[in-house]
Amino acid sequence: MNDDAVRAQWNRVRGRLRDEFGEAAFKSWLNPLTLADVRNGQVRICVPTRFLRDWVVTHYGDRIRTLWSKENAAINGVDIVVLPTSGAKPNAAANEPTAGKAPPPATLLPPCEPTAASEEIGAPLDPRYRFDNFVVGKPNEFAYAAARRVAESDTVSFNPLFLYGGVGLGKTHLMHAVAWHIRERNPRRSVIYLSAEKFMYRFVRALRFQDTMAFKEQFRSVDVLMIDDVQFIGGKDSTQEEFFHTFNSLVDQGRQIIISADKSPSDLQGMEERLRSRLGCGLVADIHATSYELRLGIIGAKAEQMGVEVPRKVAEFLAHKITSNVRELEGALNRVVAHAQLVGRDITLESTQEVLHDLLRANDRRITIEEIQKKVAEHFNIRLADMHSARRARQVARPRQVAMYLAKQLTSRSLPEIGRKFGGRDHTTVMHAVKKVEELRDADSSFDEDIELLRRMLET
Ligand code: ADP
Ligand code: MG
């Protein structure tokens, strides 16, 4: 195949592209393409930037390949590679003979360094955050299922997927897992993950350098955009505006968006109404506070990953005591394991209590009697003052007993101390309350569930 013939073919391909996509698109995206060489039936085309490469591959890749194979039946692949134009010698190798060689494997468009553009705009992914090490339980099963669904489907199922939940409950883990999954399954889909803060930072920088066009284009050309901790965008009007437009344009193009926040869309502070409602119009999945069972499962899974033996008793103790979130639970387990390895002893309940001394105290301190009183009063719809009052009517006395019971269960206060907090009652009154509630829990399953619910709410 001689050089001139190839060149003529390339010119015809360019002509067709110009006709099909129009002058404006051609000028912006296709004109910068230069032919590098044709080797072994493989055409190499150069573009000056990664961004342009990704854009061209996504939007025009298939068409370029088809046009080339129409022009020249010997061509079975097109590579679009990044090569800065200045100083490069794009067609240095154009004369290489191609005849007589075995056809190369049919890798068509670049098995490109898949994440080129994503790395530039997005943040790196944590290799530990995968679906297969995400422990699923009641509190997160819905969010997990939704994330999996998005990761596995090539079409947009719900847009956006809005994940929300308290800190340390696995939002970032799930988002990274989606990104890994997509990148592995289909490296050509561009997935960008970044924090809302980083998004804001980039936007402000683009404003300063008067480069907002490029900023927009970068985000508008991705297949899957994930923005983490979007509550940070609240209150920043111009960023919100930009976010809103980027968001709309991606949704209109059928691109998938995944958002996380610490609150539901309707509770996001400082967020414009139209943005809030737009954020909530896909699938909203919340990750609830961990349950005892989930915490136990997570400890088991992490211990296994670390290859250490954690006695059942210790696992149960941790699951019981470290209730705030998974991050803290992980941290506690790591400390216990590290300590055991350092001193060369087995993990025991005693060593665990010792090592986690400070953490346990902090967790203990977390629940106060005042908090319990407040929650219980709310739950039973009585006045907070009735926790201290002398009223004995059943509808206030029972909740008061429940609060005393929970205070005994959830804090390390003594019976007299608890009594004092309930309007200066005697410790025998508290003791009686505890017994009464225990009896009722045994006898009445709906009451039992009610108390369990309260306990969980307070514990997390
Ligand atoms: P968030 O983004 O919601 O604040 P992260 O995703 O950063 O929380 O999770 C905090 C830590 O807890 C991470 O190390 C993560 O791997 C771990 N984690 C959270 N949920 C789970 C889970 N269900 N299974 C395993 N690890 C989890
Ligand atoms: Mg996070």
Side-chain angles (χ1 to χ4, degrees), residues 129 133-135 140 168-173 302 326-327 330:
Y129 294 173
N133 55 18
F134 188 83
V135 182
N140 59 24
L169 296 181
K171 302 181 295 294
T172 300
H173 188 135
K302 304 264 174 203
V326 183
R327 186 174 295 133
E330 260 184 344

Side-chain angles (χ1 to χ4, degrees), residues 226-241:
M226 308 188 186
I227 300 196
D228 205 353
D229 288 320
V230 89
Q231 70 270 11
F232 290 122
I233 290 185
K236 319 282 194 309
D237 285 349
S238 59
T239 325
Q240 261 189 52
E241 186 73 22

Side-chain angles (χ1 to χ4, degrees), residues 75-129:
I75 284 177
N76 50 27
V78 176
D79 262 335
I80 301 183
V81 296
V82 181
L83 201 70
T85 35
S86 62
K89 296 197 196 79
N91 47 6
N95 297 332
E96 287 247 329
T98 53
K101 290 206 175 150
T107 46
L108 294 178
L109 280 173
C112 43
E113 314 114 51
T115 54
S118 355
E119 268 163 14
E120 276 172 14
I121 332 174
L125 299 175
D126 191 317
R128 294 166 307 167
Y129 294 173

Side-chain angles (χ1 to χ4, degrees), residues 1-13 35 38 68 71-72 75 94-95:
M1 203 181 316
N2 77 43
D3 201 11
D4 287 344
V6 171
R7 212 140 278 292
Q9 287 161 3
W10 172 228
N11 281 335
R12 282 194 294 274
V13 169
L35 179 66
V38 178
W68 261 110
E71 279 296 330
N72 182 340
I75 284 177
N95 297 332

Side-chain angles (χ1 to χ4, degrees), residues 21 157 161 164 203 217 232 266-267 275 298 391 393 413 429:
F21 295 105
S157 341
L161 169 60
Y164 80 93
F203 176 63
E217 290 310 336
F232 290 122
S266 53
D267 288 338
L275 185 50
I298 289 173
R391 284 182 66 200
R413 299 309 178 98
T429 310

Side-chain angles (χ1 to χ4, degrees), residues 49 60 63 92 120 148 162 187 209 235 255 285 296 304 342 361 377 379 391 444:
T49 66
Y60 306 103
R63 195 60 198 148
E120 276 172 14
R148 257 226 93 112
F162 190 102
F209 293 110
R255 308 300 163 86
L296 209 54
E304 200 181 299
L342 216 62
R361 255 218 333 254
H379 184 79
R391 284 182 66 200
D444 180 347

